């Protein structure tokens, strides 16, 4: 397991629609909470001029949660929004992905989420692409 | 002067019960769901998130429902809720160059890398009421699609910056001052001003920006680029020791190109105004970038011409609609003792005037 893998799957679980994650993970293995789901806010920052120094844009709601599986594996989650079930599932999935179950969880949870996220993104990009302006210039009379 | 007044509980309870009934309206009409508000009144939701300064579409929809559609009241509800949340951290600055773009236009270059992408815009509609929406609507025709271009959509400012034609956007380290953590102190730096005006009242900002266009602190702004779309929000997770893109927010970004700065040693360059707002909100983002630019007069060595949009203290002290509403509306609350004092004073003045007048009459008669 590399950090990049874990960084990617924690992000994917966090950005997944909560209802979809609930469908994909209907039952959870036994676990205990190191930190029960906690709702808070993160200050989102932008850059002055898009590329300059940081400034505070406004907050967004976040729920974080940490769990321990019975075998001692720890799972962490920070997810956007206020859905405690989402944070719990994401934390459990993070733990499972570090165990021997990882292949199964990757196939059953991560793959569909990644595919659907890509489809969603592509669907919007396709609609945007259809609104791209194709300029044409009329030939001016004096140029003939 | 305020005096504690007791009583009125029953009247208040009854008023609130009636408010709840009025909020629901005619029971023969189906009740609004939060999903309907979130999906179909999305631009109201965006405004409440931007000015409430909290990105959460479901909460904004709830606030709009509770406030009966009064957006400033809804913004107040969001601000109040926000204060109950623990601050878990701050994000890395979002990268708007990597935005998943819904809309991207430039008023300064016709042909540019990435092209002009109109997106779901009101522009070019005829502003005629569409009575088909009043009838029981069928689902709209699906939007057309085309193959997205794999090419990057670079910032227009980057193209100007490459040639040195626009002032650079310097990067300084450090955490920006946060007006939700410490009271606003003037003078404010640009970062603090941007935080204040991105959550400012849209109407106030619109009028100020308009005033600069009409000559009150003119800045000759062109919309170099306006882009709308979603960006990832990346946060350092202490328990992991690395950062994760934990969410996405929709943003509108506006960059204006304005007239020149320069000196004996530095050739003239265009200057920048910047607007960045939660949600699809281009009126607000354009207004923000004009007001940002007007407020930069000192830094750019321009004259203060006394225009309201140039006056940092005026703008920052009056741009927040929750603050403004609070102070404006407090005058409807009991001021019985205050008013009694004024009444007493007025009676004494009138009494004195009348006594003088009758004395003069008496003297004239003698």
């Amino acid at each position: 397991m590399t950090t990049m893998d874990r960084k990617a799957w924690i992000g994917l679980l966090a950005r997944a629609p909560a209802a979809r994650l609930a469908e994909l993970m209907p039952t959870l293995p036994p676990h205990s909470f190191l930190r029960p789901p906690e709702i808070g806010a993160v200050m989102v920052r932008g850059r002055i001029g898009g590329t300059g120094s940081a400034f505070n844009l406004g907050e967004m709601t976040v729920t974080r949660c940490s769990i321990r599986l019975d075998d001692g594996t720890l799972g962490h989650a920070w997810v956007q929004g206020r859905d405690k079930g989402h944070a719990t599932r994401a934390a459990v999935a993070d733990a499972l992905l570090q165990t021997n179950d990882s292949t199964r969880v990757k196939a059953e949870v991560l793959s569909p989420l990644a595919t659907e996220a890509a489809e969603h993104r592509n669907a919007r990009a396709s609609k945007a692409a259809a609104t791209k302006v194709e300029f044409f210039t009329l030939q001016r009379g004096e140029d003939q | 002067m305020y005096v504690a007044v007791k009583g009125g509980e029953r009247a208040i309870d009854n008023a609130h019960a009636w408010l709840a009934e009025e909020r629901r309206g005619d029971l023969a009409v189906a009740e609004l769901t939060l999903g309907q508000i979130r999906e179909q009144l999305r631009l109201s939701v965006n405004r409440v998130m931007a000015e409430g300064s909290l990105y959460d579409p479901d909460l904004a929809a709830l606030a709009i429902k509770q406030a009966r559609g009064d957006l400033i009241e809804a913004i107040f509800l969001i601000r109040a809720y926000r204060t109950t949340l623990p601050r878990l951290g701050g994000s890395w600055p979002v990268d708007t160059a990597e935005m998943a773009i819904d809309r991207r236009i430039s008023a300064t270059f016709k042909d540019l890398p990435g092209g002009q992408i109109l997106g779901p815009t009101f522009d070019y509609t005829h502003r005629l009421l569409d009575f088909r929406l009043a009838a029981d609507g069928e689902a709209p025709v699906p939007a057309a699609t085309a193959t997205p271009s794999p090419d990057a959509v670079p910032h227009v400012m980057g193209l100007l910056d490459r040639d040195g034609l626009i002032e650079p956007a310097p990067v300084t380290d450090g955490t920006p001052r946060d007006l939700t953590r410490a009271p606003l102190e003037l003078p404010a730096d640009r970062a603090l001003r941007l935080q204040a005006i991105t959550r400012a009242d849209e109407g106030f900002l619109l009028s100020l920006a308009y005033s600069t266009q009409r000559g009150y602190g003119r800045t000759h702004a062109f919309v170099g680029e306006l882009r709308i779309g979603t960006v990832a929000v990346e946060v350092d997770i202490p328990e992991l020791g690395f950062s994760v893109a934990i969410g996405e927010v929709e943003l509108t970004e506006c960059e204006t190109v304005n007239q020149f700065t320069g000196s004996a040693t530095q050739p003239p360059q265009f200057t920048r105004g910047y607007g960045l707002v939660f949600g699809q909100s281009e009126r607000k983002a354009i207004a923000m970038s004009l007001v940002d630019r007007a407020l930069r007069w000192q830094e750019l060595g321009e004259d203060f011409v006394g225009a309201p949009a140039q006056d940092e203290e005026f703008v920052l002290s009056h741009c927040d609609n929750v603050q403004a509403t609070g102070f404006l509306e407090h005058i409807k609350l009991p001021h019985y003792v205050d008013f009694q004092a004024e009444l007493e004073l007025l009676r004494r003045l009138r009494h004195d005037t009348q006594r003088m007048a009758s004395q003069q009459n008496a003297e004239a008669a003698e």
Side-chain angles (χ1 to χ4, degrees), chain B residues 71-151:
Chain B
L71 296 189
I72 292 182
E73 180 73 17
I75 290 158
F76 195 165
L77 293 171
I78 291 297
R79 290 274 187 92
Y81 175 82
R82 192 203 69 78
T83 61
T84 68
L85 294 175
R87 171 76 62 84
L88 303 184
S91 82
W92 284 88
V94 295
D95 186 357
T96 54
E98 291 294 314
M99 181 183 277
I101 286 183
D102 284 353
R103 171 165 167 80
R104 187 275 196 131
I105 54 170
S106 170
T108 51
F109 297 103
K110 180 166 74 70
D111 297 303
L112 72 170
Q116 309 262 1
I117 299 164
L118 300 182
T121 177
F122 289 129
D123 292 353
Y124 320 109
T125 63
H126 293 106
R127 266 70 184 215
L128 299 171
L129 279 176
D130 181 355
F131 288 97
R132 284 173 305 179
L133 293 173
D136 279 339
E138 295 158 30
V141 182
T145 57
T147 308
S149 159
D151 300 339

Side-chain angles (χ1 to χ4, degrees), chain B residues 301-322:
Chain B
E302 295 167 347
D303 292 332
F304 178 70
V305 299
Q310 289 181 306
D311 186 334
E312 173 180 281
E313 185 175 348
F314 179 82
V315 174
L316 299 190
S317 305
H318 301 112
C319 64
D320 191 281
N321 56 27
V322 176

